[in-house]
Amino acid sequence: ATDFLGGRAHAGITRAGQYLVKKHTRTLREIYKTAHENHKWMDTTTSIGFGCPALVSWDLSSKHEDTITTVVSDADLVPRMSGATLVNVMLDAMSYDWTKKAMLDLELVVQHIKFPQQLLQFANDTFDALDRPYFGQITDKRVDPILFPPGKCIHLFRDGDGTAGTYTNCSLFSAIDISRNMLDDHMIPPGYHRAMLNWMRRRTNDWNFDFEHNLLGLPV
């Protein structure tokens, strides 16, 4: 992250944005002037982003809640991903004691295939000697995230009966949600299209509802 407008922002995207502004300032001003002349009501600029990355520090994110809205589909990895959250999820994975579930699996194997009971004791002793001491060596401290999605956030999430949606604080996305659908949720067809379609079907109480335009036909 780099210093930006009194807060912190994603260094690479900040440099890219500054380059675009410098290169296209005249064009952007002409577009804004023309739009403002044609639409007298356009006194403010608003932006809605779907699956926007973690870009700015918390103070900058909350400062722009009136002009920026970020929509996040359930466990979407991208709005939660930064250097800090990647380090934290790696530490979580490294410190996770998987031997307990491994023993449960072995107990089922012994029960159904009639292996000698001594196998369980051998496995448990092996885990004690080779694996379990390692988990305790991993620090329990985690890195405080610096970057968050910008503005006000709308979270679309599975609730067991379909898709629900709610406004939420963008600090909710301060950790990666390990899920088998965390990549799919960032895509259009399995992620945002699915979430928006299911949300609209529930809201309209019409499970045959579909969008008039073909979202799946968009060039992506």
Side-chain angles (χ1 to χ4, degrees), residues 14-54:
T14 298
R15 288 195 298 270
Q18 290 171 338
Y19 169 79
L20 290 174
V21 169
K22 182 178 179 180
K23 184 175 180 63
H24 301 293
T25 295
R26 180 181 297 177
T27 301
L28 292 172
R29 285 176 175 169
E30 290 176 356
I31 292 173
Y32 179 80
K33 180 180 178 181
T34 301
H36 198 279
E37 289 174 350
N38 293 339
H39 302 281
K40 299 300 183 181
W41 49 267
M42 198 179 76
D43 293 325
T44 60
T45 302
T46 58
S47 174
I48 299 178
F50 288 78
C52 185

Side-chain angles (χ1 to χ4, degrees), residues 108-218:
L108 290 174
V109 169
V110 169
Q111 177 182 347
H112 288 90
I113 308 183
K114 309 302 182 184
F115 277 124
Q117 288 289 331
Q118 292 88 336
L119 175 63
L120 293 177
Q121 187 60 51
F122 172 78
N124 196 56
D125 291 344
T126 302
F127 290 151
D128 279 340
L130 300 181
D131 297 298
R132 287 171 180 146
Y134 168 78
F135 303 131
Q137 297 174 16
I138 306 301
T139 179
D140 58 357
K141 296 181 179 179
R142 296 297 180 262
V143 182
D144 292 331
I146 298 174
L147 301 178
F148 300 87
K152 180 168 50 182
C153 285
I154 297 176
H155 191 205
L156 302 175
F157 57 93
R158 298 170 179 86
D159 65 353
D161 186 42
T163 299
T166 184
Y167 281 105
T168 185
N169 193 298
C170 282
S171 62
L172 174 69
F173 309 107
S174 60
I176 293 175
D177 184 3
I178 298 297
S179 167
R180 64 182 181 180
N181 50 277
M182 63 184 185
L183 295 179
D184 281 348
D185 283 346
H186 184 64
M187 307 302 173
I188 290 180
Y192 286 87
H193 177 268
R194 177 204 56 78
M196 292 293 293
L197 183 61
N198 288 342
W199 183 78
M200 284 299 298
R201 285 177 174 176
R202 170 185 280 186
R203 184 173 178 82
T204 60
N205 199 27
D206 177 9
W207 293 101
N208 293 314
F209 172 87
D210 205 352
F211 295 110
E212 294 182 2
H213 49 293
N214 181 18
L215 282 179
L216 298 182
L218 292 173

